[in-house]
Amino acid sequence: MAVPTNRKAVLLAAFIAFGGFLFGYDIGVISGCLIMPDFVARFGQQQSDGSFVLTSSRQSIITSLLSAGTFVGALAQAFTSDRYGRRGSILIWSGIFTIGTIIQTATINSIAQITVGRFVAGLGVGALSAIVPLYNGETAPKAMRGMLLVLYQLQIIIGIFLSYIIDLGTHTINGSASWRIPVGLQICWGFALLSGIFFLPESPRHLLGTGREAEAIRVVAELNSVPEDDPLVRDTVEDLQYGIRIENEGGKATWAECFSSRNLLWKRTINGMMLQFIQQLNGQNFYYYYGDTFFQSAGTQLNPYVIQTILGAVSVAGTIPALYLIDTWGRRKSLLTGALLEATCAIIAGLVGHFTLAPSGTPVSQLTPRNKAGGDALITFAVLHVFSYSIFWGPTPWVYLGESFPLRVRPKGIALGSATNWLWNFLLSFFSPRIANDIGPLILLIFCGMLVFGFVYVYLFIPETKGLSLEEVDEMYRSRIPAWKSAGWRPSEKHIHDKVEAAEVHEVREKADDGESA
């Protein structure tokens, strides 16, 4: 028997996670463009003195339309993934993203065109945000599931960091090239994913679900680097076939089933959506979207592009240890620790900024030592805030979302969680500049309050899923174990997938669940 290796599966997961890079790059690049002189002159409003200003309302529209598109795309992918397969769906939405970036790059001075382009690109980004964990969950080795889902978040952060570096390098160029180059590079990223997809296999699970068993056998063998007649291939395919058969017993899964009482699916769906909601109200995206503009008011001597680059580097540095901590500390401990650290940073930065910073627009020459010290303190705690987010709240909600649902409703459960993420991303990007314009650094106190709420919610409702199979997660929810006791919980039975005994256990559970519902 050949010795299996997961190298190809890991490389495949790493490439698919490039979909996260597309999202990260896009949200990062626009923050730098918002203060480029040529960009402001083309899309800002002309003042009485002939100068142009990009008002907070226009900033909101330009940044938030991407998030509006991602919300729609996250839900729409559930239909394309089933109809055209995971691979075909990735191809479709990568193409849509590329079209959106072309529309943005070709804009002359129409704010309508650039916002439409961001909406179209957002459709692709939102769809890929749900397809990536779905595809990786169906192809990646189970033992490496947490790490490979964190890899998606790492790609997002790398995308943000690279966009900051490119903005730093092009912002001094005269004319539209200053912003067209960083925005236009997204076309290359889209084509990279489009070209690579032709070399990727379809999900074995989707192949079996559509009756293409021979292709599924070939893909499983390829992913494990063993011959097609290897016992590992046979066992894996039998496991998948059993799972598909169980899924199809109750007919086609519906959206309403995600909120049913069966196996407490409603609780899992709400938990997944709440974690995505709290993640967006952590405050980190405020720095990503509006960091350049916000730090200018802090009176720092550093170029705002340099500050953004520092934030990006800190984010990458923070996400790397998360690859290890997610499976050692676990999900709950990561979320609880992150909430405390980020809340502390947010309240300090908000109060220091409110009481020490000079009014917005004050010339640097008129800043007092107290103003400068306050600005330095605000930036320091902003960096610590982003670092803590990158370790804990950045990757963990995506990991939890990808491993909390049974196979039958997983595409829809992940779609609902992803759509919640993008809905609040849209609301945050739309309203943040308006709120910050009115209350300044005190907006950080709103994020602090949300983090305190997040700590309480995680402690009361989010169970530990580290090291559990999907079947064991089912058992834990059915056992109604309190979240704060879940870390010490152990399954009471052996879970298998391809034996007659497993079918009998499933049948008994189904009857018991039906009896409880009645």
Side-chain angles (χ1 to χ4, degrees):
M1 185 174 72
V3 178
T5 174
N6 298 130
R7 184 180 61 183
K8 290 185 178 179
V10 172
L11 291 175
L12 171 65
F15 179 78
I16 290 300
F18 188 72
F21 177 90
L22 301 185
F23 164 59
Y25 185 90
D26 197 79
I27 68 170
V29 77
I30 197 64
S31 65
C33 294
L34 292 177
I35 58 174
M36 290 181 181
D38 187 83
F39 190 90
V40 173
R42 289 173 183 271
F43 306 111
Q45 290 180 320
Q46 189 170 20
Q47 306 299 296
S48 57
D49 61 357
S51 63
F52 288 86
V53 173
L54 199 60
T55 62
S56 59
S57 61
R58 292 204 170 198
Q59 289 184 38
S60 297
I61 293 172
I62 292 173
T63 56
S64 63
L65 260 291
L66 175 85
S67 302
T70 55
F71 174 78
V72 177
L75 293 175
Q77 66 76 33
F79 300 97
T80 59
S81 293
D82 288 336
R83 183 178 180 85
Y84 302 106
R86 287 34 166 170
R87 179 175 175 272
S89 191
I90 293 173
L91 179 64
I92 291 170
W93 293 108
S94 298
I96 291 174
F97 169 83
T98 305
I99 292 171
T101 59
I102 292 173
I103 294 173
Q104 293 177 66
T105 308
T107 306
I108 303 300
N109 54 15
S110 170
I111 190 171
Q113 182 176 338
I114 197 167
T115 52
V116 167
R118 286 183 60 76
F119 178 83
V120 174
L123 292 173
V125 169
L128 290 169
S129 74
I131 298 172
V132 169
L134 175 63
Y135 186 93
N136 279 350
E138 294 181 349
T139 58
K142 292 181 180 180
M144 305 178 71
R145 184 179 61 202
M147 184 190 72
L148 292 178
L149 288 173
V150 170
L151 189 61
Y152 172 68
Q153 176 67 18
L154 179 60
Q155 290 274 29
I156 293 176
I157 298 303
I158 291 175
I160 293 173
F161 178 48
L162 181 61
S163 72
Y164 290 162
I165 293 177
I166 294 175
D167 278 347
L168 176 64
T170 65
H171 78 279
T172 56
I173 299 176
N174 294 324
S176 64
S178 59
W179 60 270
R180 286 192 199 277
I181 291 174
V183 171
L185 279 174
Q186 294 175 101
I187 300 174
C188 300
W189 313 146
F191 276 122
L193 195 56
L194 277 170
S195 60
I197 204 66
F198 291 106
F199 302 97
L200 295 176
E202 180 55 87
S203 160
R205 192 173 179 284
H206 178 75
L207 292 172
L208 289 172
T210 53
R212 297 147 67 184
E213 183 174 346
E215 291 182 61
I217 291 173
R218 178 178 56 79
V219 171
V220 171
E222 180 183 347
L223 291 176
N224 290 278
S225 301
V226 295
E228 293 183 17
D229 58 355
D230 191 277
L232 172 66
V233 176
R234 183 189 65 247
D235 292 343
T236 302
V237 170
E238 287 179 357
D239 282 346
L240 292 172
Q241 287 174 327
Y242 171 78
I244 292 169
R245 184 170 65 254
I246 294 302
E247 285 185 63
N248 293 334
E249 282 181 357
K252 187 175 181 180
T254 64
W255 291 96
E257 188 174 339
C258 295
F259 298 94
S260 68
S261 59
R262 179 171 173 263
N263 290 346
L264 291 184
L265 281 176
W266 68 269
K267 186 174 183 179
R268 302 193 221 184
T269 301
I270 294 299
N271 278 348
M273 296 172 69
M274 284 298 295
L275 285 182
Q276 295 294 327
F277 158 64
I278 297 169
Q279 184 204 57
Q280 285 304 304
L281 272 294
N282 266 216
Q284 80 294 335
N285 276 356
F286 177 75
Y287 294 121
Y288 290 152
Y289 280 127
Y290 305 109
D292 290 345
T293 305
F294 191 61
F295 289 138
Q296 279 186 330
S297 67
T300 177
Q301 299 298 311
L302 293 175
N303 184 311
Y305 291 97
V306 174
I307 296 174
Q308 286 290 73
T309 303
I310 293 173
L311 284 177
V314 167
S315 298
V316 173
T319 307
I320 292 174
L323 294 167
Y324 172 77
L325 291 175
I326 196 68
D327 287 321
T328 53
W329 277 29
R331 286 52 160 162
R332 270 178 62 84
K333 190 173 182 180
S334 292
L335 292 172
L336 292 172
T337 303
L340 288 178
L341 292 177
E342 290 179 62
T344 302
C345 293
I347 193 170
I348 293 175
L351 293 177
V352 168
H354 177 70
F355 288 109
T356 65
L357 293 187
S360 179
T362 302
V364 175
S365 59
Q366 297 180 18
L367 295 178
T368 67
R370 184 170 182 268
N371 296 148
K372 295 178 181 178
D376 292 340
L378 185 150
I379 292 171
T380 298
F381 281 98
V383 169
L384 292 174
H385 187 152
V386 170
F387 183 75
S388 299
Y389 168 83
S390 300
I391 298 177
F392 303 115
W393 274 89
T396 307
W398 289 109
V399 173
Y400 189 87
L401 187 65
E403 65 186 6
S404 295
F405 299 99
L407 296 174
R408 175 177 167 78
V409 297
R410 181 182 290 178
K412 291 179 172 61
I414 292 176
L416 288 170
S418 298
T420 302
N421 181 288
W422 299 123
L423 172 63
W424 285 98
N425 189 296
F426 164 73
L427 294 173
L428 176 72
S429 60
F430 186 81
F431 288 109
S432 284
R434 302 165 188 263
I435 297 174
N437 189 55
D438 293 335
I439 65 175
L442 288 181
I443 190 175
L444 295 172
L445 299 190
I446 298 176
F447 302 133
C448 175
M450 180 53 61
L451 286 159
V452 172
F453 167 77
F455 180 91
V456 175
Y457 187 89
V458 170
Y459 183 82
L460 294 177
F461 301 112
I462 302 298
E464 181 58 70
T465 56
K466 180 188 72 171
L468 299 179
S469 69
L470 295 178
E471 290 75 24
E472 290 165 348
V473 172
D474 283 342
E475 181 187 345
M476 180 173 63
Y477 272 98
R478 286 198 315 275
S479 301
R480 301 180 185 275
I481 301 297
W484 56 90
K485 294 183 179 180
S486 60
W489 178 84
R490 294 294 180 269
S492 60
E493 58 189 61
K494 181 180 179 182
H495 294 273
I496 54 178
H497 308 280
D498 59 338
K499 306 298 181 185
V500 175
E501 179 186 352
E504 293 173 349
V505 169
H506 174 80
E507 185 175 84
V508 170
R509 289 176 184 165
E510 288 291 305
K511 291 179 179 178
D513 291 334
D514 291 341
E516 291 175 0
S517 299

